[in-house]
């Protein structure tokens, strides 16, 4: 195994984790819609107990995504997670708020009332996907940081990367294209969340309401995604030479999809599966499995986009403050020894995924209905 192979392999693994994370944001998407899908406390409890069985998967994947990035591309980790810490701290705080809201909304002595904590769930359902989508957009739009590797020898301040302003990541939200993709991911999460509720909650009233909301959320997502995809194909991208010199290349991401035709096939397949899952659910009142084709399609689409941002001599984390500070697979990765050791450890991942699938099937062996909520003393 060569060093470049390991760099591309770990880029694939990290991108796959990122794609799975975007799919698992259906928990946040469903939470954001609990007041529009559930008109009574009983209906909202069904929705919340449905998503509460899966939120750990989302949070664990987020932590694993960050850990994999830290181990394989530590310079990205120190630059983004360390420099843009306000952005990431808000994301993490919203996830902590989610966990607290599940546990305390119906606890004895909750003087705030269950509605307050349900509002916190809605807040997490909006902020989490919006900011994570914005973070993904910075892989194409760039971030405001500077890399000075020579600072490593400075005893007083051995800081390699630094943010070029005091906003520490929040300045990315001033870029309208970052907001476009962020809002697109937010409505994608909402779409997936509604599809999940249709599949997981056995209640005709809720399912009818879900299909109406699905039409609105999916339409907004599709429009925003198409707009951003067109922008991405037409914009200048961040390329680098064999010597590591970074430069702007017109239509770089379009060229990537042409050069890496297999990535284009994955992208198109993903888009078709997402649209199929949505359309089939809207056209057939008896079809409740839309979350699965749409979920698989989401993973494939996001995986293809993330690989497009990094493979084929592309700077995956561009710097708008200093072009030559942009991060590439070559200048930001761990040592050959580290990547090679982690490669063998990563072979255990299929066993972990098999365990997750087994647990998921056990959890969803029975659909949630009104009778279960009324009879279960441990329901949220």
């Amino acid at each position: 195994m060569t060093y470049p192979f390991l760099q591309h392999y770990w880029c694939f693994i990290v991108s796959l984790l990122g794609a799975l994370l975007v799919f698992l944001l259906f928990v946040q998407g469903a939470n954001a819609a609990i007041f529009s899908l559930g008109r009574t406390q009983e209906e909202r409890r069904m929705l919340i107990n449905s998503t509460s069985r899966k939120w750990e998967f989302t949070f664990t994947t987020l932590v694993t995504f960050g850990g994999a990035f830290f181990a394989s591309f530590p310079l990205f980790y120190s630059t983004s997670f360390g420099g843009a810490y306000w952005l990431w701290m808000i994301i993490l705080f919203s996830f902590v708020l989610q966990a607290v809201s599940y546990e305390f909304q119906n606890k004895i002595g909750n003087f705030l009332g269950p509605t307050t904590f349900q509002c916190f769930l809605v807040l997490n359902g909006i902020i989490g996907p919006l900011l994570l989508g914005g973070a993904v957009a910075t892989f194409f739009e760039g971030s405001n940081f500077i890399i000075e590797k020579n600072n490593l020898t400075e005893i007083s301040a051995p800081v390699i990367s630094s943010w070029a302003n005091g906003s520490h990541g929040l300045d990315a939200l001033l870029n309208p294209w970052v907001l476009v993709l962020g809002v697109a991911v937010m409505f994608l999460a909402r779409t997936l969340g509604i599809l999940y509720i249709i599949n997981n909650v056995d209640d005709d009233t809720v399912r009818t309401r879900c299909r109406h909301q699905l039409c609105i959320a999916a339409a907004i997502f599709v429009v925003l995604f198409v707009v951003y995809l067109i922008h991405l194909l037409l914009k200048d991208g961040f390329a680098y030479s064999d010597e590591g010199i970074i430069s702007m290349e017109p239509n770089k991401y379009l060229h990537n999809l042409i050069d890496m035709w297999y990535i284009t096939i994955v992208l198109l397949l993903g888009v078709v599966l997402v649209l199929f899952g949505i359309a089939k659910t809207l056209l057939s009142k008896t079809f409740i499995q839309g979350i699965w084709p749409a979920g698989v399609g989401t993973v494939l689409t996001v995986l293809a986009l993330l690989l497009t941002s990094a493979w084929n001599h592309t700077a995956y984390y561009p710097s708008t403050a200093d072009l030559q500070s942009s991060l590439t697979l070559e200048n930001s990765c761990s040592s050959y020894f580290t990547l090679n050791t982690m490669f063998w450890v990563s072979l255990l991942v299929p066993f972990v995924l098999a365990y997750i699938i087994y647990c998921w099937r056990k959890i969803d062996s029975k659909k949630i209905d009104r009778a279960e909520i009324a009879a279960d003393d441990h329901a949220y």
Side-chain angles (χ1 to χ4, degrees):
M1 291 181 292
T2 64
Y3 201 15
F5 167 78
L6 289 172
Q7 292 165 349
H8 284 76
Y9 172 80
W10 277 103
C11 176
F12 173 82
I13 295 296
V14 171
S15 298
L16 180 59
L17 287 171
L20 289 171
L21 175 61
V22 173
F23 160 62
L24 291 170
L25 288 176
F26 72 79
V27 174
Q28 277 63 41
N31 285 340
I34 55 177
F35 287 104
S36 56
L37 300 180
R39 302 294 170 79
T40 66
Q41 280 292 347
E42 183 183 36
E43 290 174 349
R44 287 197 285 271
R45 288 190 69 195
M46 285 194 295
L47 301 176
I48 291 169
N49 278 272
S50 176
T51 60
S52 67
R53 299 178 178 184
K54 300 297 188 305
W55 77 269
E56 293 96 338
F57 290 127
T58 310
F59 192 78
T60 302
T61 304
L62 174 62
V63 174
T64 305
F65 171 74
F69 240 137
F70 170 72
S72 53
F73 300 98
L75 190 52
F76 168 83
Y77 188 89
S78 65
T79 302
S80 180
F81 290 83
Y85 58 79
W86 280 122
L87 179 68
W88 290 107
M89 285 300 293
I90 293 173
I91 292 173
L92 291 174
F93 177 77
S94 74
F95 276 86
V96 172
L97 194 65
Q98 176 198 51
V100 171
S101 299
Y102 278 130
E103 292 296 330
F104 286 95
Q105 60 182 297
N106 290 312
K107 289 287 188 181
I108 297 175
N110 171 22
F111 64 92
L112 295 176
T115 303
T116 300
F117 287 99
Q118 290 168 5
C119 290
F120 289 159
L121 289 177
V122 173
L123 191 63
N124 168 250
I126 295 173
I127 292 178
L130 175 65
L131 295 186
L132 283 172
V136 171
T138 61
F139 292 159
F140 301 101
E141 306 300 329
S143 295
N144 204 7
F145 64 90
I146 298 174
I147 301 293
E148 289 288 350
K149 292 188 176 181
N150 291 332
N151 286 351
L152 192 61
T153 60
E154 294 290 336
I155 299 177
S156 59
V159 178
I160 298 177
S161 56
S162 60
W163 218 250
N165 57 45
S167 68
H168 293 289
L170 295 180
D171 55 302
L173 300 178
L174 298 177
N175 185 331
W177 290 111
V178 170
L179 287 177
V180 168
L181 188 57
V183 175
V185 171
M186 183 180 73
F187 277 98
L188 170 61
R190 190 182 183 94
T191 300
L192 294 174
I194 294 172
L195 289 172
Y196 177 75
I197 293 299
I198 291 174
N199 176 257
N200 193 245
V201 176
D202 187 10
D203 188 87
D204 291 337
T205 302
V206 171
R207 282 175 173 169
T208 300
R209 206 172 288 142
C210 280
R211 284 184 165 84
H212 174 71
Q213 292 293 323
L214 176 63
C215 185
I216 300 172
I220 296 174
F221 157 67
V222 170
V223 170
L224 291 176
F225 179 75
V226 170
V227 168
Y228 188 81
L229 187 60
I230 293 173
H231 159 73
L232 185 65
L233 297 179
L234 298 179
K235 78 183 296 291
D236 296 345
F238 300 81
Y240 66 93
S241 64
D242 293 335
E243 293 75 25
I245 304 300
I246 298 165
S247 60
M248 302 302 298
E249 178 181 323
N251 306 117
K252 171 61 176 171
Y253 302 108
L254 175 61
H255 295 162
N256 284 357
L257 290 174
I258 294 174
D259 295 340
M260 300 185 294
W261 55 268
Y262 43 90
I263 298 295
T264 305
I265 293 175
V266 173
L267 176 63
L268 294 176
L269 178 60
V271 171
V272 169
L273 285 174
V274 172
L275 294 177
F276 171 78
I278 295 171
K280 181 71 172 178
T281 302
L282 290 175
L283 295 175
S284 174
K285 292 184 178 181
T286 60
F287 184 72
I288 63 172
Q289 306 294 332
I291 182 62
W292 303 121
V296 173
T298 297
V299 172
L300 294 178
T301 302
V302 176
L303 174 63
L305 289 176
L306 292 177
L307 293 179
T308 302
S309 74
W311 284 4
N312 198 37
H313 278 249
T314 309
Y316 70 88
Y317 199 50
S319 171
T320 56
D322 175 27
L323 190 60
Q324 300 310 313
S325 292
S326 302
L327 301 185
T328 68
L329 298 185
E330 283 79 1
N331 68 14
S332 64
C333 67
S334 294
S335 66
Y336 175 85
F337 174 80
T338 300
L339 296 182
N340 185 52
T341 303
M342 292 194 306
F343 170 84
W344 297 107
V345 176
S346 71
L347 298 181
L348 297 174
V349 170
F351 297 97
V352 177
L353 290 177
Y355 176 74
I356 292 174
I357 294 173
Y358 171 78
C359 292
W360 189 299
R361 290 177 62 89
K362 282 291 186 181
I363 292 172
D364 282 357
S365 59
K366 183 182 182 302
K367 305 296 184 184
I368 291 179
D369 54 24
R370 296 176 189 266
E372 179 181 348
I373 296 300
D376 188 358
D377 294 334
H378 298 287
Y380 290 113

